[in-house]
Amino acid sequence: EKKSKINKNIYGNFSEHLGRCIYNGVFVGEDSSIPNEKGMRKDVVEALRNIKLPVLRWPGGCFADEYHWKDGIGPIDQRRPEPSYFWGDLNYNDVGTDEFLQLCEMLGSQAMLVVNMFHPDKRHFANNGVNPYENGKEPHGFELDRITDIDEGIRCAAQWVEYCNGPVTSEYGALRAKNGHPEPYHAQYWEMDNETFRWFTWEEYAKTVSRYSKAMKAVDPTIKIGLCSYHFFRDYIPQMLEICGEDVDFLADRICEPDNLSRKVEIVRQYNATHEHQIFYVDTEALQNRDPSPAPFVKDYYEKYGITYRSARRTWIYALNLVSNLMMDHRFGGIVHFMCFNNLANTSGQSCIETPKDEVVLPACGLVYERMSRSLAKWPVEIEGYTPSARNDVQIQAAWNEDKTKLVLYLLNRTDENPAVTLDLSGLSISSGKASIHTMTAAEGTTQETVKSHGNIQQV
């Protein structure tokens, strides 16, 4: 009863790196002979509807750092192609703001848009793990004059909000109507850039986020602004919140690791305890195995079979790590609003859907999301004599449904044994003795679900 009510969006969310992956089997164009809805493959849309996605993120992580939204609107054949600075090749901007937000409409999903915060140092690039303010900068070989003026970036972001959410009587709302969508999209979540440590100091970033937020919320005060809180900035979150906390609505974090999550949530709680303006926590780009202290069996299993962080992502044991992390997020109650899975489609297994030409496939993590997005679990229940931990190989969790008439129990087993778990429910007031059981299992931790291997992950 003391727990916060869990936000309904916690299950089934994942990140949407459309900018670099959607062309591979998702977007085919309205003129395609392939059955489609507004240019998106019909079978893919149906599969995504079945997963039930409350939130989609776009245009991604690193791709968003230099993305200029005005290049991706209007007639497709008139859009400006641009290099994909981080990932190579050209982005033809076939999928822009309208295509993405219309996909969200088709799926009944909320949008999280990642804002490119202009900065003079975006002429350069800092390699992963290198602080550009300590070790210098390196040119990335592209002239990016259009995204180096901070004041212009603030105007551009406010115009993007108006394009997405403004009335048709506004300048950019009228442009949206001209491009075929008179009604506002009501895009709710706006994440302030990605890996911002590459260009900003923590103090400069916090001050600039405040300026962006004021300009964007002047257009639509209902939007939610996210503050990046990872990499070098993770040590300065309280200081950043003292600068811009009144102008942001959530911490945009990443890394599914228990100590990281508990520390960030505690920072949010402390801030909320001393401020009228309340914020929440979101994991915007969650890989499921970046834990320096994984569960013992999982660690041994990876070592035994030579599984790396990358090769693990298609496997059943990786999907079980996802289940563990979702259970952990649930225990924090409504302060954790949702987890965004790292990628949507076709990205070396770290995605929830695969879309080869012949058919759509839900890999292991996609099958987990499909199931857990239908969970009735809402109110976590404390189990007497049991301390839950995401680092346990075997875990159990209980929660009431919305009106507390049904009890939902999760049993997670990340081992190759069959442990026995006993629960005494006699102290609970349950109106009926009826129960239903759903199981998901696979023969090995390395089991995968692919086009050529349907049914390896069994559900009963």
Side-chain angles (χ1 to χ4, degrees):
E1 287 288 342
K2 295 180 181 179
K3 291 280 189 180
S4 300
K5 179 181 176 183
I6 190 65
N7 187 293
K8 292 182 180 179
N9 289 352
I10 196 168
Y11 295 122
N13 308 317
F14 50 81
S15 180
E16 167 69 59
H17 287 239
L18 269 167
R20 73 175 190 261
C21 77
I22 198 166
Y23 309 109
N24 183 12
V26 180
F27 180 77
V28 294
E30 292 188 62
D31 297 332
S32 174
S33 59
I34 298 172
N36 68 85
E37 293 186 40
K38 297 182 180 179
M40 303 290 176
R41 263 178 56 181
K42 192 174 182 65
D43 58 345
V44 175
V45 172
E46 289 299 326
L48 292 174
R49 284 181 180 140
N50 201 39
I51 298 177
K52 300 173 65 173
L53 314 172
V55 177
L56 288 176
R57 177 175 178 254
W58 179 84
C62 292
F63 184 81
D65 294 333
E66 286 88 19
Y67 181 72
H68 202 303
W69 71 270
K70 293 181 181 179
D71 292 339
I73 60 173
I76 289 179
D77 60 354
Q78 297 177 27
R79 296 180 187 178
R80 168 179 171 161
E82 60 183 340
S84 177
Y85 312 107
F86 284 90
W87 306 106
D89 213 334
L90 280 177
N91 167 36
Y92 290 99
N93 275 315
D94 291 5
V95 174
T97 300
D98 289 292
E99 287 77 17
F100 169 67
L101 292 178
Q102 287 174 37
L103 174 62
C104 289
E105 286 183 334
M106 286 187 280
L107 301 178
S109 305
Q110 279 285 351
M112 176 184 286
L113 294 165
V114 185
V115 177
N116 172 12
M117 295 175 64
F118 294 6
H119 193 280
D121 286 336
K122 287 202 169 180
R123 294 175 180 273
H124 301 86
F125 170 71
N127 273 326
N128 216 9
V130 176
N131 187 332
Y133 291 90
E134 294 176 355
N135 299 292
K137 314 173 187 72
E138 60 181 270
H140 46 52
F142 298 98
E143 289 298 324
L144 304 176
D145 294 341
R146 296 190 306 151
I147 63 168
T148 56
D149 186 304
I150 291 177
D151 291 335
E152 176 58 28
I154 294 171
R155 285 190 291 271
C156 188
Q159 291 163 352
W160 200 11
V161 174
E162 184 173 291
Y163 184 87
C164 295
N165 297 351
V168 72
T169 53
S170 65
E171 178 184 359
Y172 283 91
L175 180 58
R176 180 193 66 241
K178 180 182 177 182
N179 290 334
H181 200 281
E183 293 299 315
Y185 288 112
H186 303 294
Q188 183 175 13
Y189 301 108
W190 299 76
E191 182 182 354
M192 302 315 296
D193 217 313
N194 168 81
E195 298 187 5
T196 46
F197 66 91
R198 297 183 188 276
W199 303 282
F200 292 85
T201 64
W202 68 265
E203 185 175 15
E204 180 187 25
Y205 174 65
K207 291 178 178 178
T208 308
V209 165
S210 184
R211 294 181 61 199
Y212 266 82
S213 177
K214 285 180 171 66
M216 294 166 69
K217 288 191 173 185
V219 177
D220 182 354
T222 70
I223 63 174
K224 306 297 183 185
I225 299 292
L227 180 78
C228 289
S229 60
Y230 47 87
H231 291 306
F232 301 122
F233 291 171
R234 64 187 170 219
D235 298 324
Y236 302 98
I237 299 171
Q239 295 95 315
M240 289 195 295
L241 288 176
E242 286 307 310
I243 294 172
C244 66
E246 295 295 324
D247 299 311
V248 302
D249 302 283
F250 62 93
L251 292 187
D253 197 30
R254 59 184 61 170
I255 302 177
C256 294
E257 190 270 321
D259 293 340
N260 173 75
L261 179 58
S262 60
R263 175 175 174 266
K264 301 287 178 61
V265 166
E266 183 58 30
I267 291 173
V268 172
R269 285 176 174 158
Q270 290 178 4
Y271 179 86
N272 289 346
T274 55
H275 294 78
E276 184 177 353
H277 177 65
Q278 303 289 283
I279 63 176
F280 55 91
Y281 175 95
V282 167
D283 192 330
T284 62
E285 195 171 315
L287 292 170
Q288 307 303 315
N289 58 354
R290 282 183 170 174
D291 189 342
S293 302
F297 181 87
V298 174
K299 180 181 179 181
D300 292 345
Y301 194 86
Y302 278 25
E303 292 176 353
K304 178 179 179 180
Y305 291 96
I307 300 173
T308 65
Y309 279 176
R310 291 186 180 276
S311 64
R313 293 172 185 166
R314 291 183 180 274
T315 65
W316 177 235
I317 200 165
Y318 186 81
L320 295 180
N321 292 341
L322 167 61
V323 176
S324 176
N325 289 329
L326 287 171
M327 291 167 62
M328 174 177 64
D329 285 356
H330 195 176
R331 291 193 293 272
F332 281 101
I335 203 165
V336 178
H337 273 216
F338 54 83
M339 172 206 290
C340 287
F341 196 77
N342 193 48
N343 283 0
L344 174 65
N346 309 326
T347 41
S348 303
Q350 60 177 335
S351 52
C352 277
I353 190 169
E354 301 289 333
T355 62
K357 289 190 299 182
D358 297 334
E359 59 182 312
V360 174
V361 177
L362 296 186
C365 288
L367 292 172
V368 164
Y369 268 123
E370 182 184 44
R371 180 61 199 172
M372 296 194 76
S373 68
R374 288 161 173 75
S375 171
L376 298 177
K378 292 294 184 291
W379 299 90
V381 176
E382 182 179 352
I383 300 176
E384 188 175 308
Y386 174 73
T387 302
S389 171
R391 293 196 174 101
N392 290 343
D393 287 314
V394 178
Q395 300 174 45
I396 193 164
Q397 192 151 310
W400 289 111
N401 68 339
E402 181 76 32
D403 60 4
K404 298 186 178 178
T405 58
K406 296 181 180 180
L407 186 68
V408 180
L409 299 176
Y410 292 130
L411 175 61
L412 171 67
N413 180 15
R414 289 185 288 183
T415 76
D416 55 2
E417 299 177 354
N418 295 311
V421 175
T422 302
L423 283 176
D424 181 0
L425 305 179
S426 60
L428 298 177
S429 176
I430 301 177
S431 59
S432 171
K434 295 181 180 178
S436 61
I437 299 175
H438 183 94
T439 63
M440 298 181 68
T441 187
E444 303 287 346
T446 53
T447 296
Q448 300 182 25
E449 193 76 0
T450 68
V451 176
K452 297 181 179 180
S453 60
H454 285 307
N456 280 350
I457 296 172
Q458 301 171 14
Q459 300 192 55
V460 179

